Amino acid sequence: MELRHLRSFLVVAETLNVSRAAERLHLSQPALSRQMQDLEQSLGVSLFVREKGRVSLNDAGRALVEHARELLARSDNITSHVQAISRGECATVEVGYAPSLAAELLPLVLERLGRTHPSLNLRMHDLSSDEMNAGLKEGTLHIAYTVGAGVLQESGLIKETLVTYPICVAMSRNHPWARRKKIELADLPQAMLLGYARHAYPEYPKFVEGLLATAGVKLGRMEEFDSASSLLLRLESGVGVALVPWSFACNTTDRVVYLPVSPEVPPLDLVMCWRRGQDWPGLRTVREVSAACGLEIRQRRALWPNGPMGPAPAKKKRVVSR
């Protein structure tokens, strides 16, 4: 049984007319008839009820229709898969990421790659900056989305800045500070500070200590959480505040508000980072799509009149002429 015979059979089954089927297949009628006879002979059954001037499917023919469609679809998938491998597009890419900082970008990247390069398999790893540096250096990671300042310069790594996010203070809408316009850094030790656990993200407490030092205050007790989701739950409960990049807002609902800090502090860069010399097609595709998505975010942000923490631009009302 040959695949070309099954393809011809499906056209005959659809048209129930050998002449029209032969025309669609660009075959002579005798050649198509011989193909159907060869198919029946290979299966050892008759597939058609043949009457003068017309054909119809018998029970075996109707059963073969579904099997033929499934088999041909699988054949097409095999062909596409093998061709993708030959182009270097079918691969597993090991990805490290910082969950708060990459919360806006990565869903766009994964959605687009799923549509345009379904053969690529991205395995995602929520890691600290130190773990991403080590993974890239050792080869257990192919690419990382991390804080720009945390990338080790001596590790032979290349980085590309995708998006820049201001630092803000997140809190419940019911928090006593929620009506303020800005949050003074010097006031933060008076609040219950929430943040990421030292054992999971050792760079985070250092980051907070550095910001508070610019205001001349020290970090006191900080309630620690080992994931963005657990930190968010605590914020939504109305207890405590957290210093986070504005990208953290992509994880949350309108129960949490984000206020700028005063004095203004340097923003955080979300960078895409990979090892020098790594340039195989699958990885290159991920980098190109990530860069395009980063550009889209930056362009969209430029349209916001009051910056990323201000309200989004109002949608223009559609005028319908009568």
Side-chain angles (χ1 to χ4, degrees):
M1 182 172 59
E2 300 181 32
L3 291 179
R4 65 189 179 95
H5 290 168
L6 289 178
R7 289 192 172 89
S8 297
F9 164 75
L10 287 178
V11 176
V12 176
E14 181 183 339
T15 61
L16 295 178
N17 185 293
V18 177
S19 296
R20 286 203 300 271
E23 186 176 337
R24 280 177 53 178
L25 292 165
H26 305 290
L27 294 172
S28 67
Q29 185 172 333
L32 178 57
S33 296
R34 282 195 300 273
Q35 282 192 16
M36 294 303 96
Q37 291 167 5
D38 290 343
L39 179 60
E40 289 176 318
Q41 186 175 357
S42 67
L43 293 170
V45 297
S46 174
L47 300 170
F48 302 99
V49 176
R50 291 173 171 85
E51 298 174 348
K52 189 174 182 180
R54 62 186 298 271
V55 295
S56 59
L57 295 172
N58 59 20
D59 290 342
R62 283 189 289 272
L64 181 60
V65 168
E66 294 305 318
H67 288 296
R69 286 174 178 162
E70 181 181 349
L71 185 59
L72 290 172
R74 289 176 62 187
S75 171
D76 291 341
N77 287 338
I78 290 170
T79 301
S80 299
H81 188 71
V82 171
Q83 290 174 346
I85 290 175
S86 71
R87 294 191 300 267
E89 295 175 359
C90 184
T92 296
V93 184
E94 302 290 347
V95 180
Y97 69 99
S100 295
L101 203 56
E104 183 179 23
L105 177 87
L106 278 184
L108 297 178
V109 173
L110 294 173
E111 186 272 337
R112 185 158 305 174
L113 286 171
R115 283 190 289 107
T116 60
H117 294 79
S119 297
L120 274 176
N121 175 34
L122 271 66
R123 289 206 295 213
M124 312 300 294
H125 307 276
D126 175 351
L127 301 170
S128 69
S129 294
D130 289 345
E131 289 170 329
M132 282 187 264
N133 277 314
L136 289 168
K137 191 173 182 180
E138 295 164 6
T140 56
L141 290 180
H142 298 128
I143 194 167
Y145 302 86
T146 185
V147 182
V151 178
L152 298 179
Q153 299 299 325
E154 67 274 15
S155 298
L157 304 178
I158 300 173
K159 67 178 182 180
E160 178 180 345
T161 300
L162 299 177
V163 194
T164 298
Y165 291 105
I167 302 301
C168 54
V169 182
M171 68 196 75
S172 165
R173 192 169 291 279
N174 298 322
H175 192 278
W177 289 359
R179 293 184 179 276
R180 296 187 182 185
K181 301 236 181 244
K182 293 183 179 181
I183 303 298
E184 296 292 330
L185 281 174
D187 290 344
L188 287 176
Q190 303 170 23
M192 168 63 76
L193 265 179
L194 313 177
Y196 291 112
R198 293 174 187 271
H199 69 86
Y201 303 98
E203 70 273 15
Y204 181 80
K206 297 175 185 176
F207 159 72
V208 175
E209 288 170 354
L211 288 184
L212 294 180
T214 63
V217 294
K218 292 184 177 181
L219 174 65
R221 178 176 173 270
M222 184 170 68
E223 191 172 341
E224 297 184 356
F225 301 85
D226 59 6
S227 69
S229 57
S230 57
L231 173 58
L232 175 59
L233 284 173
R234 188 61 165 157
L235 283 170
E236 289 181 334
S237 74
V239 177
V241 301
L243 276 163
V244 293
W246 184 79
S247 53
F248 189 85
C250 296
N251 294 316
T252 64
T253 66
D254 58 4
R255 293 193 295 272
V256 176
V257 297
Y258 298 85
L259 299 177
V261 296
S262 181
E264 190 174 329
V265 298
L268 289 181
D269 290 333
L270 170 62
V271 303
M272 174 174 59
C273 192
W274 66 97
R275 203 160 116 195
R276 191 178 301 279
Q278 289 267 9
D279 198 34
W280 39 283
L283 182 59
R284 189 161 58 247
T285 295
V286 175
R287 294 203 309 262
E288 290 170 353
V289 170
S290 298
C293 290
L295 177 60
E296 288 179 19
I297 291 172
R298 297 196 305 273
Q299 289 174 335
R300 187 166 64 237
R301 189 80 48 74
L303 300 176
W304 291 33
N306 300 308
M309 283 187 285
K315 293 182 178 178
K316 293 182 180 179
K317 292 185 179 179
R318 187 178 172 189
V319 179
V320 179
S321 59
R322 296 181 181 277

